[in-house]
Amino acid sequence: MAQQEVRLAELLCALSVTLDLAMAQPPEKSIRSCLVAMRLADRLRVHDKRTVYYATLLRHLGCTATTHEEVHLAGPRAAELRPLAERTDTNSHREALHYLMHVGRGAGIRRLQYVARTMTTSEDNLLLAVCEVGSMLAAHLGLGHATAEALYQNLERWDGKGTPKGLAGKEIHVATRIAEVATQAVIAGQKTLIKRRGTWLDPFVVAEYDDSLVDDLDEIDVWQAVLDAEPRPWGTTRDLDELARTFAYFVDLKSPYLFGHSTGVATLADEAARLLHLEDAERATLRRAALLHDLGRVAVPTAVWERPGLLRRADWEKVRLHPYQSERILARSRVLEPVGVLAALHHERLDGSGYPRQAKGGELSTAARILAAADCYQALRQDRPHRAAHSAEGAAEIILAQVAAGRLDDRCVKAVLAAAGQQVPGRRMSRPAGLTEREIEVLRLLARGTSNAGIAHELVVSRRTAEHHVQHIYGKIGVSTRAAAALYAMQHGLFTQ
């Protein structure tokens, strides 16, 4: 399968479920919206249907960029607000107040703090991050300039009161205008479309909509229908690794503690597989499973991953299910299904103490044992909310103790440690965009959400100098938000070098 061209739509329709989960929406919300958008494009006789297709299917490709900030603003249950936020017209005082009434629920006395933060913090930078990251990831997928631009304009409004450029009317890409109407039709219905035409939504697109476009969605096989709706010639890809890498970036943006985790695991697992002489096909499946093993993380609120103390029982149950979620997402594609079977095993242990299935040694292939060891080692080498990153020596000591306890495979752990002790193949000798080592240090701090004052403290410079460094780096790498800087750093391996 690695040498065959496969339909890109099949892969992206499967992976779009990850976007639905990240938005706390039901699975298939994205493909339902995509199908409605294609029906609207037919009625409007739009020429570039390919851009409409992918701009709608991947509409929320940048949505993990702001989850860390959302928890700070709206509290630990911020993820539950996403469906409401997606339906809320923030230019309506009544709707904005209704949204505000849900902020901070369950937080006790701290609720007032979250409400105050939400009221006093400008959302412009958050919205810009979603647009910027979504556009960058679309470009990385090779979907073309039009799709990347349509995603960058995702939060523009017909009346010009949107983000990031305040475009109005037909200045906004037609694919973006159709995608917004289709999405709102699926999540809110026709009455909402009529209410918002001419302000939030393109009135000409709304005029072409009626409920016949959605009436059959509960009766038909939406999955097959949206595949059939892909404009011909069908898009294909041979480079499954790059597609997997893009979604690894998407997942790892969920929290600053996760930056570079999936790609780091993949690098270790692939090199360990080479050292253990796995066949090329099995090695390729392992590499892709390592990149995609944490897709299910998006189904767990960011506040859980960033909890500094012990997890509550309910939180722990959510965490235990994330490998299963990864498997179910990938099972939607015949190409990715074997990758998902392997990815689901990354927290299993030889003695049956792992999760979610408590599989034991005889049920775990060499590839599964490598993946478990690589995931464990990479996590130990990174900061977590409850501890600082371990040194290479400290991580090796801990993971070898897991071998002694009968949880991890001795041969696979030693291969992972050998992979970690060598220079990563392809590591850059010269830095991207001409960045200096000092600027790389600033970029890492910036990407992790460190304030300008915090960067100044770390660098032992004035705050004004730190601000100058940040703006200079933004200019060099061509981004304007922390989340986009984090994505850039991950794309260039700056968290795993």
Side-chain angles (χ1 to χ4, degrees):
M1 187 66 70
Q3 299 303 315
Q4 299 177 12
E5 287 191 342
V6 294
R7 281 187 65 180
L8 181 61
E10 179 194 334
L11 303 175
L12 293 180
C13 282
L15 292 168
S16 73
V17 174
T18 315
L19 314 187
D20 299 333
L21 293 174
M23 289 297 294
Q25 294 280 15
E28 297 194 346
K29 175 256 188 179
S30 291
I31 64 174
R32 284 170 172 249
S33 300
C34 182
L35 184 58
V36 174
M38 294 307 291
R39 292 171 173 179
L40 279 169
D42 284 337
R43 290 189 177 185
L44 290 162
R45 298 183 181 179
V46 173
H47 175 69
D48 185 9
K49 293 181 182 177
R50 178 180 174 82
T51 300
V52 174
Y53 188 90
Y54 287 114
T56 310
L57 182 67
L58 302 177
R59 179 170 178 78
H60 297 298
L61 194 55
C63 72
T64 52
T66 57
T67 56
H68 172 73
E69 286 81 0
E70 287 171 34
V71 171
H72 173 73
L73 285 177
R77 295 174 63 177
E80 299 174 15
L81 291 173
R82 284 191 153 200
L84 175 59
E86 194 175 0
R87 300 192 304 269
T88 298
D89 181 352
T90 54
N91 282 281
S92 162
H93 293 303
R94 185 181 63 81
E95 291 191 38
L97 180 60
H98 176 70
Y99 174 83
L100 200 61
M101 290 172 62
H102 290 76
V103 168
R105 282 194 170 179
I109 192 64
R110 295 190 65 193
R111 183 178 184 184
L112 294 176
Q113 181 182 29
Y114 292 126
V115 170
R117 283 179 186 169
T118 302
M119 291 179 64
T120 57
T121 302
S122 171
E123 64 178 6
D124 291 350
N125 206 43
L126 292 183
L127 300 179
L128 174 58
V130 170
C131 299
E132 197 164 25
V133 168
S135 180
M136 290 170 70
L137 290 174
H140 197 268
L141 286 170
L143 295 176
H145 174 75
T147 300
E149 184 61 22
L151 289 179
Y152 187 76
Q153 297 177 13
N154 242 352
L155 300 175
E156 300 288 3
R157 292 168 52 105
W158 179 260
D159 59 11
K161 297 179 180 178
T163 295
K165 293 183 177 179
L167 301 178
K170 294 185 179 180
E171 294 177 320
I172 305 167
H173 200 293
V174 65
T176 305
R177 289 181 271 135
I178 292 174
E180 186 62 83
V181 172
T183 300
Q184 292 296 316
V186 167
I187 66 176
Q190 186 171 12
K191 287 184 179 179
T192 298
L193 301 188
I194 294 171
K195 178 182 177 182
R196 293 176 178 164
R197 64 184 176 188
T199 53
W200 184 346
L201 305 176
D202 181 341
F204 300 103
V205 178
V206 172
E208 294 297 328
Y209 177 85
D210 61 66
D211 281 344
S212 67
L213 296 182
V214 298
D215 281 345
D216 64 342
L217 295 186
D218 290 329
E219 309 298 329
I220 64 173
D221 182 348
V222 180
W223 172 268
Q224 189 58 53
V226 82
L227 289 179
D228 293 342
E230 183 192 10
R232 291 179 182 268
W234 289 338
T236 58
T237 183
R238 285 190 177 190
D239 201 342
L240 298 184
D241 282 17
E242 282 309 299
L243 182 136
R245 192 175 305 278
T246 301
F247 277 83
Y249 296 145
F250 170 82
V251 170
D252 288 356
L253 277 169
K254 187 170 176 66
S255 169
Y257 294 104
L258 302 175
F259 291 164
H261 176 75
S262 297
T263 49
V265 172
T267 298
L268 290 171
D270 188 48
E271 177 61 11
R274 185 189 70 80
L275 293 173
L276 293 177
H277 308 292
L278 265 64
E279 293 187 2
D280 288 348
E282 187 175 12
R283 183 178 167 188
T285 299
L286 171 58
R287 185 170 58 249
R288 292 160 191 163
L291 287 167
L292 297 172
H293 73 282
D294 267 347
L295 283 180
R297 274 191 190 269
V298 300
V300 181
T302 299
V304 172
W305 297 119
E306 297 188 354
R307 188 177 177 85
L310 293 174
L311 292 179
R312 297 169 299 184
R313 181 172 298 182
D315 293 336
W316 179 235
E317 287 305 313
K318 294 174 185 176
V319 168
R320 286 173 61 86
L321 284 175
H322 85 268
Y324 171 78
Q325 295 278 16
S326 298
E327 181 178 18
R328 297 316 307 156
I329 291 166
L330 296 169
R332 289 172 171 262
S333 163
R334 61 185 175 84
V335 178
L336 297 175
E337 185 173 14
V339 175
V341 171
L342 178 56
L345 301 174
H346 70 276
H347 278 297
E348 300 293 353
R349 296 294 182 259
L350 298 178
D351 63 354
S353 64
Y355 60 85
R357 294 192 174 91
Q358 294 84 51
K360 293 188 176 181
E363 304 169 70
L364 302 174
S365 65
T366 298
R369 297 176 186 211
I370 292 172
L371 179 57
D375 177 65
C376 184
Y377 180 82
Q378 180 65 25
L380 289 168
R381 293 286 289 123
Q382 294 180 286
D383 290 332
R384 290 293 183 261
H386 59 287
R387 60 157 175 82
H390 292 278
S391 67
E393 295 77 12
E397 183 178 339
I398 292 171
I399 200 172
L400 287 170
Q402 294 287 304
V403 172
R407 298 189 184 98
L408 294 175
D409 182 275
D410 179 61
R411 193 167 63 107
C412 294
V413 164
K414 288 177 179 176
V416 167
L417 292 177
Q422 298 173 6
Q423 187 176 28
V424 177
R427 181 173 176 172
R428 293 176 179 270
M429 300 307 292
S430 60
R431 294 308 203 178
L435 293 171
T436 65
E437 291 300 320
R438 180 74 156 181
E439 289 169 336
I440 292 291
E441 184 181 0
V442 175
L443 177 56
R444 288 176 178 145
L445 292 169
L446 170 67
R448 288 195 167 102
T450 308
S451 65
N452 287 337
I455 292 173
H457 176 74
E458 291 286 340
L459 301 181
V460 195
V461 296
S462 70
R463 179 167 179 169
R464 186 171 183 178
T465 299
E467 290 173 353
H468 173 76
H469 286 331
V470 168
Q471 293 306 315
H472 184 65
I473 290 168
Y474 276 156
K476 273 193 169 184
I477 65 178
V479 304
S480 55
T481 63
R482 177 205 66 82
L487 175 56
Y488 182 93
M490 283 195 286
Q491 289 175 327
H492 291 85
L494 300 181
F495 292 112
T496 53
Q497 294 181 15

